[in-house]
Amino acid sequence: MKILQLDGTLNACQIEQLGAANADLFQEEMQAAMSPELKAIEVDFSDTSFLDSHGLGALLMVHKTACNRHGEVPLRLLNPQPSVQQILELTRMHRIFEIVKRPVVHETT
Amino acid sequence: MPLVLVPMLGKNLVDYWMEHLAARGFSEATILAADRPEKVRQHVGAGERWGVKTEVLPVTHEINETDARALVANGTGAQCVVLMEYLPQLPAQKLFDSYNSWFSALSGLMQEMNSDTRIGVHEIKPGIWTSLHDAISPEARLVAPCWIGRDVTIEEGAVVGPFAIIEDGVCVEKEAEVAHSVVLSDTLVGEFTEISNSVAWGDMLTHIPDGISARVPDEFLLSPLNEEPLRTPRTTFIGRVAAAALLVAIAPFAILAMIRSMLNGRAYLRVKTAVKPCLSHSDKAGATMTYCEVPSRYGWIRRWPQLWEAVCGRFALVGNRPLSPEDAAELKHDYEKLWLSVPTGVISLADAAVGVERFDEKARAHACFYAIRADEQMDASILYAVVIGRPLNAIRSTVKDVMPVPVRYAELDGQS
């Protein structure tokens, strides 16, 4: 898992799964990485093959913390795989998080 | 059902638009859907039916044309962005402003119907349209204009029309009358029932001029013909037996807690109110039920009386925990409302995951996840985690704390 902030956007990528094993860690690291100039959060789900209720809870907590600290902050989920997108749609999380399909540019450093 | 999939003269709004796009030579389409995109995707597939490569993208809310253009076009060369709020045949007639506007659009569509473009549709008399596999009694009276969908039964003495739209799979029984109304798919219009200026669907009746809806409790007047429960209650025999076993196993501790509470001058049971889940179309939203708790700080003892509810079938052994009306009122988002779409349970996924009863974002995430994924296997794993896994872990960690730390032989050798 890699977390970095670019121009007010907090990016998380290289997440193979978001479940019981790492959801708390993901939440803690994302919350710790939120800077005062945070404008948006983007979580790249293109490598994520597994998402469960722990992962959904962590995403909700990250979004809630960001909104409490910085006002309305959109949380975008980039390029989810079909199985993950199905969970997001069936749980109606697509009404909370923006699901975006677009190429993701990772910082190489 | 999402609005775009509601039948309108045998097809839905997505069908009309996809046909329109295909006829105009479009090769690709993207549908932005806020309401149940998975159902829209299930209906359109990849667009093979129309020869238009189609993708359904979920969006957080209903968006306007500018936002849609920004979201989809975004420099990718999309030629056309339309809001599906009207039929392509009737661009001036908005569909979703009110029931009146919707009915006006349907009436307009019916009058523009052309049997040459609809396979299986026949104009048996001017303004009277019927479809395949209809069973219309010769003693029924059809008054133009009216539309009768596929697999419709109209019995003797029934009067359909004028301006009646009967969708697929409807049964209009003897002497019933339908005029200036729409009867949506798989609805029974019972004997002598008169429907006028209304939309009937299952047991719901909506008055078109003012949009007021009411549920018709009498099945012989109006009822769904193929009602599927929103969720099958899983109060299985095995679940009841397991609940009974737990009830017996915990009984001594629960009785002790009750006696202690009585000796302290308090009630031995606390009566609580919870909102009933909506498991079938007939369940009234917001209806409440009562259940009991034993005053105790231990979850299993506290929930002991609920095991009896599980034995009786009022609760499931595994489900989402009961919510007070105050807590239920806090469920605003769609994902949160899924909490009440499965049976109330003695134990929940949140119990297995975190071991503590709570009502925060994480508990809501567990509840909505359980609502979409619940099956026997998941119930069994939750039961195992709560009844065996967690207590075992607790015992292991206690033993670890009590036992002395093993001394390595290498360390002893070094000391000697």
Side-chain angles (χ1 to χ4, degrees):
Chain A
M1 181 163 51
K2 191 172 162 189
I3 296 170
L4 49 98
Q5 186 151 333
L6 290 170
D7 304 328
T9 302
L10 183 63
N11 294 277
C13 57
Q14 296 172 17
I15 304 164
E16 286 178 13
Q17 58 168 297
L18 198 53
N22 66 343
D24 287 344
L25 179 70
F26 168 82
Q27 183 188 326
E28 282 164 21
E29 291 195 1
M30 289 293 279
Q31 286 171 339
M34 286 176 194
S35 69
E37 59 269 16
L38 182 71
K39 292 190 189 102
I41 300 170
E42 292 187 348
V43 182
D44 180 9
F45 266 180
S46 48
D47 299 326
T48 312
S49 56
F50 178 80
L51 174 71
D52 70 2
S53 57
H54 294 85
L56 293 175
L59 287 170
L60 286 168
M61 290 303 289
V62 167
H63 190 226
K64 187 185 177 186
T65 307
C67 291
N68 285 346
R69 288 187 198 167
H70 308 278
E72 198 59 38
V73 176
L75 193 155
R76 298 187 196 106
L77 305 176
L78 309 184
N79 309 318
Q81 293 180 16
S83 59
V84 170
Q85 183 164 335
Q86 188 192 35
I87 287 173
L88 293 167
E89 288 177 4
L90 289 173
T91 53
R92 313 284 174 245
M93 292 286 173
H94 70 278
R95 308 290 301 248
I96 308 288
F97 310 129
E98 292 175 27
I99 296 176
V100 181
K101 301 228 168 162
R102 64 170 152 85
V104 181
V105 180
H106 295 308
E107 200 179 62
T108 50
T109 53
Chain B
M1 184 183 287
L3 270 181
V4 291
L5 299 184
V6 171
M8 304 167 76
L9 277 67
K11 296 182 184 179
N12 59 45
L13 190 55
V14 173
D15 293 333
Y16 286 115
W17 272 105
M18 292 303 293
E19 283 173 9
H20 180 74
L21 294 180
R24 266 146 194 79
F26 285 89
S27 57
E28 286 185 34
T30 304
I31 300 173
L32 302 176
D35 186 11
R36 286 160 282 187
E38 76 283 357
K39 291 212 159 101
V40 179
R41 191 179 297 113
Q42 192 181 7
H43 179 75
V44 297
E48 306 91 339
R49 245 188 299 166
W50 303 278
V52 179
K53 190 182 168 196
T54 308
E55 187 180 20
V56 179
L57 290 183
V59 287
T60 52
H61 57 281
E62 310 292 344
I63 54 178
N64 60 30
E65 200 170 324
T66 314
D67 291 343
R69 196 173 288 280
L71 202 63
V72 181
N74 202 20
T76 58
Q79 292 176 24
C80 175
V81 174
V82 289
L83 286 184
M84 286 200 283
E85 57 182 5
Y86 57 89
L87 286 158
Q89 298 90 327
L90 301 166
Q93 180 67 60
K94 292 273 179 70
L95 280 167
F96 304 120
D97 287 351
S98 64
Y99 279 97
N100 250 332
S101 62
W102 184 64
F103 185 69
S104 300
L106 259 63
S107 302
L109 184 65
M110 184 164 55
Q111 284 163 334
E112 292 208 350
M113 186 61 63
N114 182 350
S115 58
D116 296 341
T117 58
R118 291 289 289 265
I119 296 167
V121 173
H122 305 283
E123 191 173 18
I124 54 171
K125 282 183 189 169
I128 299 176
W129 302 89
T130 60
S131 310
L132 293 172
H133 311 302
D134 290 336
I136 302 171
S137 163
E139 285 153 50
R141 194 153 67 91
L142 306 180
V143 184
C146 69
W147 161 273
I148 294 162
R150 292 167 64 108
D151 302 304
V152 169
T153 303
I154 299 178
E155 295 182 355
E156 62 267 29
V159 181
V160 174
F163 289 99
I165 295 164
I166 311 291
E167 293 290 355
D168 298 353
V170 169
C171 178
V172 182
E173 289 190 331
K174 291 173 197 167
E175 309 291 339
E177 292 185 20
V178 182
H180 298 276
S181 298
V182 181
V183 182
L184 289 171
S185 311
D186 302 308
T187 298
L188 171 79
V189 181
E191 280 184 34
F192 298 103
T193 302
E194 191 179 320
I195 295 176
S196 177
N197 294 308
S198 301
V199 179
W201 197 359
D203 56 359
M204 284 296 292
L205 195 63
T206 304
H207 192 227
I208 290 172
D210 51 27
I212 294 172
S213 296
R215 198 175 288 280
V216 178
D218 303 310
E219 287 184 5
F220 58 89
L221 292 176
L222 198 66
S223 58
L225 285 168
N226 70 341
E227 187 182 26
E228 288 175 16
L230 297 176
R231 170 74 65 172
T232 312
R234 283 189 313 284
T235 46
T236 58
F237 175 72
I238 296 172
R240 290 184 191 212
V241 171
L246 288 167
L247 186 78
V248 173
I250 300 165
F253 307 101
I255 291 165
L256 269 177
M258 288 157 75
I259 291 169
R260 199 168 63 178
S261 185
M262 280 169 71
L263 291 175
N264 289 336
R266 288 177 293 161
Y268 61 93
L269 279 179
R270 282 195 293 244
V271 179
K272 301 208 136 198
T273 305
V275 174
K276 269 188 181 175
C278 287
L279 305 177
S280 72
H281 296 276
S282 56
D283 283 342
K284 197 178 157 194
T288 56
M289 60 182 178
T290 54
Y291 65 99
C292 293
E293 278 187 0
V294 173
S296 169
R297 64 194 174 97
Y298 299 106
W300 272 118
I301 297 175
R302 205 168 50 241
R303 295 178 194 180
W304 182 68
Q306 295 157 40
L307 287 165
W308 176 246
E309 303 284 1
V311 173
C312 298
R314 279 186 65 208
F315 275 34
L317 182 57
V318 182
N320 280 340
R321 291 292 296 144
L323 283 183
S324 68
E326 296 76 36
D327 286 343
E330 280 185 39
L331 305 177
K332 300 276 188 250
H333 296 291
D334 287 355
Y335 82 89
E336 294 173 319
K337 289 175 185 166
L338 287 172
W339 189 305
L340 292 170
S341 68
V342 289
T344 305
V346 182
I347 55 176
S348 68
L349 176 60
D351 291 323
V354 290
V356 187
E357 187 162 6
R358 50 202 236 183
F359 185 61
D360 60 1
E361 269 70 17
K362 289 196 173 180
R364 294 173 208 192
H366 290 304
C368 76
F369 190 82
Y370 178 78
I372 63 151
R373 279 291 156 96
D375 57 16
E376 283 75 15
Q377 197 182 346
M378 190 178 215
D379 285 359
S381 64
I382 291 170
L383 196 58
Y384 176 82
V386 174
V387 178
I388 299 168
R390 282 198 163 269
L392 263 183
N393 284 343
I395 291 166
R396 270 193 208 124
S397 60
T398 310
V399 169
K400 207 172 157 188
D401 292 342
V402 172
M403 292 289 281
V405 179
V407 181
R408 291 181 190 160
Y409 290 113
E411 288 170 4
L412 288 173
D413 291 344
Q415 282 172 9
S416 62

